[in-house]
Amino acid sequence: MEKKKLKLNGNTYLLFITVLLFIVMYIAGIIIFHGKGFGRFQVLLNLFISNAGLIVIAAGMTIVMITGGIDISVGSVVALVCMLLAWMMENKGMDAIPALMIVLVVGLIFGVVQGFLVAYLKIQPFIVTLAGMFFARGLTAIISQEMISIKNEVFLSWANAKIYLPFGGTVNKKGVMLYPYVYPSVIIALLILIIVFIMLKYTKFGRSIYAVGGNEQSALLMGLNVKTIKLKAYILNGFLCSIGGFLFCLNTSAGFVEQAKGFEMEAIASSVIGGTLLTGGVGNVIGSLFGVLIKGTIETFITFQGTLSSWWTKITIAALLAFFIILQSLFAKAKEKVNKVS
Amino acid sequence: MNKIKKITSYELFLPIMCFILVLLINVIKTPTFFEVSIKNGVFYGYIIDVINRASELVILAVGMTLVVASSGGTDISVGAVMSVAAALCCYILAGGQQTINAYQNPYVLGILLALVVGVVCGCFNGFLVAKMKIQPMVATLILFTAGRGIAQLITKGQITYIRVENYKLLGANIPGIPLPTTIFVVVIVVLITNIVLKKTALGLYIQSVGINAKASRLVGLKSSRIIFLTYVFCGLCAGIAGLMASSRIYSADANNIGLNMELDAILAVALGGNSLSGGKFTLLGSVIGAYTIQALTTTLYAMSVSADQLPVYKAIVVVIIVSLQSKEFKKIVRGLKDKKADGRKEEQVA
Amino acid sequence: MEQGVVLTMRQIGKTFPGVIALENVDFTLRKGEIHALMGENGAGKSTLIKVLTGVEEFETGEIKMYGRDGAIINKSPQEAQKNGISTVYQEVNLCPNLSVAENLFIGREPRRAKMIDWKKMNQKSKELLASLDIEIDVTKALENYSIAIQQMIAIARAVDMSAKVLILDEPTSSLDDSEVEKLFALMKKLKKDGVGIIFVTHFLEQVYAICDHITVLRNGRLVGEYAVEHLPRVQLVAKMMGKDFDDLAAIKKVGEQNNEEKEIIIEAKQLGRVGSIKPFNIQIHKGEVIGLSGLLGSGRSELARCIYGADKSDSGELLVKGEKLLVGAPIHAMQNGMAYLPENRKEEGIIADLSVRENIMIALQAKRGMLKLISKKEQEQFTDKYIDLLQIKTADRETPIKQLSGGNQQKVILARWLLTDPDFLILDEPTRGIDIGTKTEIQKLVLELAKKGMAVMFISSEIEEMIRTCSKMAVLRDGCKVGELKEEELSQDSIMKAIAGGVKNE
């Protein structure tokens, strides 16, 4: 029993570090930007509002990464989804609901094709999704090279429906009580997060995803159909990606070619920061949520600070990603050593 | 039959066929494709343009080939590293100003530091891949995203213009010489690389490590050092390419220099008949691959496809090539053939 | 079917292209017995297991299970499992990232309203393990536990999936003594419950400690089935190795030279590596052929790898020609005159896509350094010389090595090392999977090299071959060097006794 305690459980550590990092960062923010109202509840809610899409996409990314794969096409797929929505509603006069349905199907198709190439042709996920990334971005440009703003009323009503929370309000200068609010996108994102969490934890499919990522050979010997499981994981990811794109679009209400550039990095970083191992087999969406929140907090910092430019976000995220990747690699090495000695 | 087999099994068969195919399409589309005219002592023409425009890609493909061969992974940060190198060079030359008409620092210093920063980026990637054993594409993903941010940081988010005549020389023509300077740079880079690979044992080492790292270690090779070196070299190539791209527009545009080049470079390597899982490689194949892609790009432009839309077609080509290379695909095809053959046999029996 | 028999295999035959892997092999397993399956490399025991578990198809014969009508044919491990045959391998085939309970129940999780019932699963796991006297926290990830525990969990899974036949394939190779004890306790318990266990191992001690019956295979044929108490150790070794000398001419004259007075090339003092070879001493003189003898897994390859630096040693010191050497990587060993032909030709020897020429040149090139490229002309000369000298059959010197036959590939690797002109050459199973003609050629070559003053370390599972070539022999057992035999002591009997544990003269 003694021995067991000594062994590093790197995976729990990584998640712990992440949650702690978020809390420390947030408290630091409250202290540094004391005068600017960083501590208001609404600022925290804004983290969710502006990252609703990313939360869903990071959940999808986490699933794929648990199988030992990766998907770098998500940013471009988001752009494609936004562009399709905008184009169908504004240029083709389609209603919001059928447009949404079509977009979800597009996400599914992306998942099927990429999943097939990865699972059945065994092409490196990176190459497949790199091609997917360029394909989706190019397709966006083919649809329209101009920005299309969405003016569809139904869509805008979804986007702008404020849902007030019955607590946590602050009184403004005029003495009016302001209750904090969220948009429907946040509710959808959190609902999906919970569903994915339950799926991963309590269903046969969810557990087989972990098994495949842990040891493909063993999974096969234990009677799991590895190819189908991988394919399904990519399909699910494609579907989540289109939902995420839709939520993202609710925030921007527009479609343009350059949209959501580098989004794949944010999703991967959130997942990795949240404790998902690049080698597969370990990860959970709650961790990824914290990953997203950390990224959001960095952005909020930069906004509150005022003089820093937006590219700082990318650099910081990349630095954080590098840090966590190296940490994972070190944990893996340490574990190897411990195992060898025992 | 045997002869055909011999020809098709020649390692450069695929790249050369692709190249010829693309050229044919070009000639049909534009009969003047191979025409070259001289204006003001400088060669002009489609073909010159293709060769000129392909220069950055050829250089990146050279670096990428070695990375793929040694590590079986790709460096997706090359485009971003190009923009970092360009940004640093312009920043140094402009002394921090936004537009200049005269160098604030020596030209050589700018060039040198740009190359150094390329090497540093390569070292970073190489460290993560060779020492920390991180999958190449995840490791290079870091610079892939951060690179342009860093470039913008250097140029403070503005486009830095270098309005000095000799800055344009690298991307244009040196007076009195009828061919674009880039062609000479490409020839030098390819030649030097080829000489190093052929006149030292490096080429053999890289292939050996890429094919069987365990066996290579036992015959005395230091696998991780060799992999590291290829990434450093790839960074240097990206630096050179970045300088050329910057000279063409005599500025540093952090957002657009080297944009989408990583896919082109990977595509060039694959088109060159090199396996993306590493091992044996042919540098010449990748070079031909790069020119093929540029010719294809020119064709697509001629068909009024915009720069934004190009990746769609290239992505399709990538997927087709890697699918054809995939062992599983071959298995499936063989399975179908067998079935057909079986079917025929059964018919005969019946 | 006989009373109490759970499994019979009759007249099993299987061929691989060019090789007969199994020929008319019979095997019988009774209820509640532990049955050892023994044999050296290429004896056919792993093929027999593969045939039984559906990894490979067999061509002739039949397999019958108690309680099943007619013969059964397993097409996959899953099907074998359904028929009540489960296997636990040395490398545990479970998922390290999942909890113990999940590993026990994956694919058949208890569910409530379509959701996995974790509480029930953990409860059931705990009960299952408790019934086998394993007391651990089932909610923790599998990777937190030692290999021994992981193996027991794999066994528990197999047993719970109603295994009537449990195959343990080299389960003890990476366990320490106390862990082996625990595993044995579990095996005894299962035996009492009526499970038939097939135990594949190289450790003689363990066979005698726990098994009831032994079936010995050699060269794809059944040697016989014996009750443990009727088969003394030495006889077992004899049966495994085969006493039948083949008629190859004696190629060595005994006592021609006295090597002991010559210069010491290699000396190891308490060199060792945790988990692979216990600290050992060894002296190797110029012109000496030292054989490493012992069963597979006894540490013979590990000892060699430790000297060469293929695996870094973590204790003791190594002296090369009297000077202390720190071997951090194989290149250091090479630079000090060592060469190593690894046991696993495919994975560690050949560089498959490279040509014969490149495969021959690579070691010398690595030794000389990157900048000093050996000229093409010189390379061709060297290559041709060795193709000629070793009679390597290849279409061309530029043919990729993967297109050559096994024997010729081995000659290429040999050429690679001879070219570096080593003082000390390690040959780990150089003749495995090679035709008899090439075997003799390699043996002759070894003697010639020794005559010229090279020190050679020769590892082989074939005793005759060792007697024919070696001038002294170190014997290993269970990861430990247990003794040395001088040339005049070398005989089938003495070697087998030493391997079986008769000699302890150190």
Side-chain angles (χ1 to χ4, degrees):
Chain A
M1 286 314 255
E2 274 296 299
K3 222 180 198 174
K4 232 165 62 191
K5 263 185 199 160
L6 276 175
K7 281 191 180 171
L8 295 167
N9 193 338
N11 311 330
T12 340
Y13 269 146
L14 285 173
L15 182 61
F16 178 70
I17 291 176
T18 307
V19 176
L20 195 72
L21 186 66
F22 172 67
I23 295 172
V24 168
M25 275 173 67
Y26 211 85
I27 292 175
I30 292 172
I31 296 167
I32 298 169
F33 303 113
H34 178 67
K36 295 180 181 169
F38 194 96
R40 276 186 300 138
F41 189 47
Q42 187 62 46
V43 174
L44 184 63
L45 288 181
N46 285 344
L47 277 186
F48 286 87
I49 291 173
S50 51
N51 291 302
L54 187 59
I55 290 173
V56 175
I57 287 167
M61 181 70 76
T62 307
I63 294 171
V64 171
M65 284 177 69
I66 292 172
T67 67
I70 204 160
D71 182 357
I72 57 171
S73 71
V74 292
S76 301
V77 174
V78 166
L80 178 64
V81 163
C82 292
M83 179 60 90
L84 266 178
L85 278 173
W87 180 73
M88 285 189 291
M89 288 188 293
E90 297 310 313
N91 296 21
K92 295 285 148 190
M94 220 181 261
D95 285 334
I97 291 180
L100 176 58
M101 291 301 148
I102 290 176
V103 159
L104 295 184
V105 170
V106 168
L108 277 176
I109 294 173
F110 251 86
V112 171
V113 175
Q114 298 196 23
F116 173 77
L117 292 171
V118 170
Y120 287 83
L121 293 191
K122 293 198 176 156
I123 304 171
Q124 301 171 20
F126 232 110
I127 300 274
V128 170
T129 54
L130 183 72
M133 169 185 187
F134 283 86
F135 184 80
R137 185 74 65 184
L139 214 54
T140 313
I142 288 180
I143 295 168
S144 164
Q145 287 179 290
E146 305 296 319
M147 177 164 137
I148 305 176
S149 296
I150 298 175
K151 298 185 189 74
N152 183 303
E153 278 170 24
V154 181
F155 189 88
L156 289 183
S157 72
W158 291 343
N160 299 328
K162 283 187 184 176
I163 301 167
Y164 288 94
L165 301 182
F167 54 85
T170 44
V171 181
N172 74 353
K173 286 170 199 156
K174 290 176 189 160
V176 183
M177 187 70 170
L178 287 179
Y179 283 106
Y181 61 88
V182 292
Y183 290 110
S185 59
V186 176
I187 313 278
I188 296 173
L190 292 180
L191 264 178
I192 287 175
L193 193 77
I194 292 165
I195 292 172
V196 172
F197 177 79
I198 291 173
M199 192 272 306
L200 281 177
K201 176 95 186 168
Y202 291 103
T203 68
K204 232 173 156 170
F205 171 59
R207 297 323 290 175
S208 12
I209 290 178
Y210 282 92
V212 167
N215 187 334
E216 230 179 282
Q217 192 61 35
S218 299
L220 202 65
L221 281 176
M222 290 197 280
L224 302 179
N225 189 338
V226 173
K227 284 181 183 173
T228 323
I229 291 165
K230 274 193 179 175
L231 175 63
K232 280 186 191 164
Y234 278 89
I235 295 177
L236 182 60
N237 171 53
F239 183 61
L240 288 177
C241 194
S242 52
I243 296 179
F246 164 65
L247 298 184
F248 187 86
C249 196
L250 284 177
N251 271 352
T252 59
S253 296
F256 58 99
V257 177
E258 296 295 302
Q259 207 163 22
K261 267 225 154 136
F263 216 57
E264 57 282 345
M265 173 72 150
E266 291 180 8
I268 294 169
S270 302
S271 222
V272 169
I273 292 171
T276 309
L277 291 192
L278 285 165
T279 42
V282 175
N284 90 56
V285 286
I286 302 299
S288 307
L289 170 69
F290 276 96
V292 172
L293 292 179
I294 286 179
K295 177 236 140 198
T297 311
I298 294 173
E299 270 174 341
T300 316
F301 269 15
I302 287 164
T303 322
F304 268 76
Q305 207 272 346
T307 56
L308 284 174
S309 337
S310 62
W311 49 81
W312 271 108
T313 320
K314 273 187 186 172
I315 297 175
T316 333
I317 302 270
L320 262 183
L321 179 62
F323 175 73
F324 273 84
I325 286 177
I326 291 173
L327 213 60
Q328 279 189 5
S329 168
L330 291 178
F331 268 122
K333 271 185 190 167
K335 207 188 271 169
E336 230 167 67
K337 251 185 202 162
V338 169
N339 278 345
K340 210 173 264 168
V341 171
S342 68
Chain B
M1 206 46 198
N2 258 345
K3 227 175 200 175
I4 295 174
K5 228 178 201 173
K6 213 172 194 180
I7 295 171
T8 50
S9 67
Y10 176 53
E11 57 183 3
L12 290 180
F13 175 75
L14 173 77
I16 291 176
M17 282 312 288
C18 289
F19 191 49
I20 292 174
L21 188 75
V22 172
L23 286 187
L24 269 179
I25 296 170
N26 272 309
V27 173
I28 294 164
K29 281 255 149 206
T30 30
T32 56
F33 189 77
F34 281 106
E35 256 169 48
V36 174
S37 58
I38 300 181
K39 277 181 221 159
N40 307 327
V42 172
F43 285 117
Y44 281 99
Y46 267 107
I47 191 75
I48 301 284
D49 190 55
V50 168
I51 293 173
N52 180 17
R53 295 270 154 207
S55 302
E56 286 96 324
L57 186 54
V58 174
I59 290 174
L60 288 184
V62 167
M64 189 70 85
T65 307
L66 301 190
V67 161
V68 170
S70 75
S71 68
T74 50
D75 180 349
I76 60 167
S77 73
V78 285
V81 173
M82 276 174 75
S83 90
V84 175
L88 188 71
C89 178
C90 292
Y91 173 78
I92 300 286
L93 294 183
Q97 296 170 39
Q98 204 200 325
T99 309
I100 50 146
N101 297 312
Y103 291 141
Q104 304 299 305
N105 280 305
Y107 179 66
V108 180
L109 184 71
I111 298 287
L112 217 60
L113 283 177
L115 296 182
V116 167
V117 85
V119 168
V120 168
C121 290
C123 286
F124 177 75
N125 289 332
F127 171 75
L128 291 181
V129 175
K131 300 281 170 202
M132 304 305 293
K133 313 273 180 225
I134 292 163
Q135 309 156 33
M137 284 182 264
V138 178
T140 53
L141 180 69
I142 295 173
L143 274 180
F144 172 74
T145 332
R148 291 190 190 282
I150 295 169
Q152 272 172 330
L153 198 67
I154 295 171
T155 59
K156 302 195 181 67
Q158 315 272 321
I159 297 176
T160 305
Y161 287 97
I162 309 285
R163 299 191 188 281
V164 181
E165 271 312 308
N166 76 12
Y167 191 72
K168 299 177 190 168
L169 294 183
L170 186 60
N173 290 59
I174 294 171
I177 294 172
L179 287 171
T181 323
T182 51
I183 294 179
F184 296 102
V185 179
V186 165
V187 169
I188 292 169
V189 169
V190 173
L191 267 185
I192 290 181
T193 313
N194 206 32
I195 287 171
V196 169
L197 289 175
K198 292 274 146 74
K199 292 291 160 193
T200 74
L202 188 64
L204 181 64
Y205 286 8
I206 289 174
Q207 300 193 24
S208 182
V209 167
I211 295 167
N212 189 340
K214 254 190 195 167
S216 302
R217 187 174 155 268
L218 288 180
V219 296
L221 300 183
K222 289 183 174 157
S223 315
S224 57
R225 188 179 295 174
I226 290 161
I227 293 173
F228 180 78
L229 270 180
T230 57
Y231 277 86
V232 173
F233 180 71
C234 191
L236 178 67
C237 286
I240 297 172
L243 284 176
M244 287 182 1
S246 158
S247 169
R248 280 185 206 279
I249 53 172
Y250 47 91
S251 64
D253 179 354
N255 275 325
N256 289 313
I257 282 185
L259 194 64
N260 297 350
M261 290 289 272
E262 49 286 298
L263 184 73
D264 281 0
I266 295 168
L267 186 52
V269 173
L271 257 183
N274 299 301
S275 157
L276 287 182
S277 39
K280 276 196 95 77
F281 67 91
T282 136
L283 205 58
L284 189 59
S286 299
V287 171
I288 295 174
Y291 284 115
T292 311
I293 291 163
Q294 190 55 46
L296 182 73
T297 309
T298 312
T299 318
L300 289 172
Y301 276 139
M303 291 161 75
S304 69
V305 173
S306 85
D308 286 343
Q309 300 163 347
L310 271 181
V312 173
Y313 305 96
K314 288 179 181 164
I316 294 173
V317 178
V318 168
V319 168
I320 291 174
I321 291 179
V322 292
S323 296
L324 289 177
Q325 280 184 359
S326 131
K327 275 184 197 146
E328 298 297 312
F329 182 78
K330 282 175 192 155
K331 260 190 225 162
I332 293 170
V333 171
R334 208 176 303 138
L336 288 179
K337 262 189 195 164
D338 287 351
K339 254 185 205 164
K340 247 189 202 169
D342 285 351
R344 238 178 262 147
K345 259 185 216 160
E346 272 159 31
E347 270 167 35
Q348 275 172 3
V349 171
Chain C
M1 212 176 245
E2 248 178 89
Q3 192 63 33
V5 170
V6 278
L7 169 79
T8 55
M9 299 174 83
R10 288 285 167 265
Q11 303 289 308
I12 301 293
K14 163 89 192 164
T15 51
F16 289 113
V19 200
I20 298 172
L22 291 175
E23 198 181 350
N24 296 338
V25 174
D26 290 348
F27 184 79
T28 308
L29 185 69
R30 291 157 205 86
K31 213 172 161 190
E33 78 162 344
I34 300 177
H35 196 135
L37 185 60
M38 307 283 296
E40 275 295 88
N41 275 324
K45 53 185 195 306
S46 60
T47 314
L48 191 68
I49 299 287
K50 280 182 184 159
V51 161
L52 178 58
T53 54
V55 178
E56 302 268 6
E57 287 175 34
F58 56 96
E59 286 148 7
T60 59
E62 60 172 17
I63 302 176
K64 280 186 177 167
M65 285 279 291
Y66 174 74
R68 303 257 163 183
D69 295 330
I72 54 163
I73 296 172
N74 298 317
K75 292 225 169 72
S76 67
Q78 283 90 320
E79 214 176 311
Q81 250 172 37
K82 271 185 211 139
N83 280 323
I85 304 171
S86 289
T87 318
V88 174
Y89 298 94
Q90 180 189 348
E91 326 84 55
V92 186
N93 273 302
L94 295 175
C95 294
N97 55 325
L98 301 183
S99 79
V100 172
E102 282 192 271
N103 270 299
L104 287 170
F105 284 97
I106 196 150
R108 52 191 190 113
E109 299 94 341
R111 288 190 284 180
R112 208 172 54 191
K114 291 211 162 180
M115 293 287 155
I116 293 173
D117 188 344
W118 282 87
K119 219 171 146 189
K120 199 170 163 196
M121 188 160 86
N122 290 338
Q123 188 55 39
K124 275 174 88 176
S125 306
K126 223 173 157 182
E127 285 164 11
L128 170 62
L129 292 182
S131 75
L132 300 171
D133 299 327
I134 307 167
E135 300 279 342
I136 52 169
D137 182 353
V138 295
T139 59
K140 280 202 164 176
L142 185 76
E143 61 190 354
N144 291 311
Y145 295 102
S146 65
I147 302 282
I149 301 271
Q150 293 189 18
Q151 255 162 2
M152 290 188 211
I153 291 163
I155 292 172
R157 178 184 160 91
V159 171
D160 194 48
M161 290 179 78
S162 74
K164 295 185 193 73
V165 175
L166 180 64
I167 303 165
L168 300 177
D169 193 355
E170 300 256 11
T172 53
S173 300
S174 41
L175 305 189
D176 67 26
D177 294 347
S178 66
E179 288 171 331
V180 170
E181 279 306 310
K182 275 186 216 154
L183 183 67
F184 280 4
L186 176 59
M187 284 165 70
K188 279 176 191 152
K189 189 160 172 31
L190 294 175
K191 179 181 156 177
K192 220 189 268 163
D193 296 345
V195 180
I197 299 175
I198 303 175
F199 184 42
V200 182
T201 184
H202 293 289
F203 296 109
L204 295 184
E205 317 272 337
Q206 297 177 0
V207 171
Y208 285 93
I210 194 156
C211 294
D212 305 307
H213 281 90
I214 303 172
T215 291
V216 181
L217 300 181
R218 192 175 66 243
N219 294 331
R221 290 198 198 100
L222 177 71
V223 175
E225 193 202 297
Y226 313 90
V228 169
E229 57 273 20
H230 296 143
L231 189 69
R233 251 169 238 218
V234 180
Q235 273 194 35
L236 170 60
V237 173
K239 295 215 184 300
M240 285 166 67
M241 301 223 160
K243 265 186 170 173
D244 44 332
F245 276 92
D246 34 20
D247 284 331
L248 291 168
I251 48 179
K252 182 182 65 165
K253 284 173 194 153
V254 178
E256 200 175 75
Q257 293 158 312
N258 192 353
N259 291 315
E260 292 297 315
E261 286 157 18
K262 288 187 183 161
E263 184 192 0
I264 297 174
I265 300 275
I266 300 284
E267 181 171 14
K269 288 181 179 165
Q270 291 300 306
L271 201 65
R273 176 179 157 85
V274 175
S276 70
I277 177 94
K278 290 174 190 146
F280 61 92
N281 293 321
I282 206 164
Q283 278 186 357
I284 301 154
H285 300 82
K286 215 173 160 189
E288 200 166 51
V289 181
I290 179 165
L292 293 191
S293 195
L295 298 172
L296 195 71
S298 60
R300 52 187 198 201
S301 298
E302 287 77 2
L303 188 151
R305 291 179 72 90
C306 212
I307 293 179
Y308 183 68
D311 300 325
K312 221 170 159 183
S313 56
D314 49 21
S315 67
E317 59 181 30
L318 182 69
L319 302 167
V320 179
K321 292 180 187 166
E323 273 176 55
K324 205 176 150 184
L325 175 69
L326 279 173
V327 181
I331 184 75
H332 302 139
M334 284 166 65
Q335 275 155 354
N336 283 281
M338 289 192 229
Y340 170 62
L341 182 141
E343 181 183 10
N344 192 336
R345 182 173 60 231
K346 211 166 165 192
E347 273 174 29
E348 299 194 323
I350 63 166
I351 296 159
D353 294 325
L354 292 186
S355 69
V356 170
R357 172 179 56 84
E358 288 164 316
N359 265 289
I360 290 181
M361 297 310 300
I362 184 101
L364 182 64
Q365 185 63 65
K367 206 172 166 182
R368 288 212 183 156
M370 192 180 89
L371 297 178
K372 290 181 195 144
L373 183 76
I374 303 159
S375 76
K376 186 104 184 185
K377 210 176 139 198
E378 233 180 319
Q379 289 197 22
E380 286 170 357
Q381 278 172 359
F382 280 139
T383 310
D384 288 346
K385 183 179 146 198
Y386 277 96
I387 287 180
D388 201 40
L389 196 73
L390 301 180
Q391 296 183 353
I392 300 170
K393 288 191 191 71
T394 169
D396 190 274
R397 62 171 106 83
E398 300 304 325
T399 309
I401 191 171
K402 62 181 174 188
Q403 291 176 8
L404 270 57
S405 73
N408 284 306
Q409 288 183 0
Q410 195 69 297
K411 284 182 181 174
V412 171
I413 310 289
L414 207 52
R416 168 195 292 173
W417 290 116
L418 294 182
L419 190 55
T420 63
D421 193 20
D423 304 320
F424 177 53
L425 174 65
I426 305 170
L427 301 173
D428 195 350
E429 293 273 15
T431 59
R432 184 199 293 176
I434 283 179
D435 59 287
I436 208 107
T438 315
K439 263 185 191 176
T440 327
E441 281 175 48
I442 289 180
Q443 292 162 11
K444 275 185 189 157
L445 183 72
V446 168
L447 290 174
E448 261 169 53
L449 293 170
K451 215 183 239 170
K452 285 182 193 149
M454 194 185 288
V456 181
M457 182 175 267
F458 195 89
I459 304 173
S460 168
S461 335
E462 289 178 43
I463 275 197
E464 309 94 78
E465 177 173 89
M466 301 275 270
I467 295 178
R468 231 178 284 138
T469 43
C470 299
S471 54
K472 80 175 178 188
M473 189 173 289
V475 179
L476 291 108
R477 201 184 322 127
D478 302 350
C480 188
K481 182 176 171 239
V482 290
E484 272 189 25
L485 296 170
K486 294 202 187 77
E487 184 159 25
E488 49 276 19
E489 297 171 337
L490 291 182
S491 72
Q492 292 259 341
D493 268 2
S494 62
I495 296 172
M496 284 181 197
K497 264 186 201 140
I499 294 174
V503 206
K504 266 179 189 158
N505 52 2
E506 202 177 49

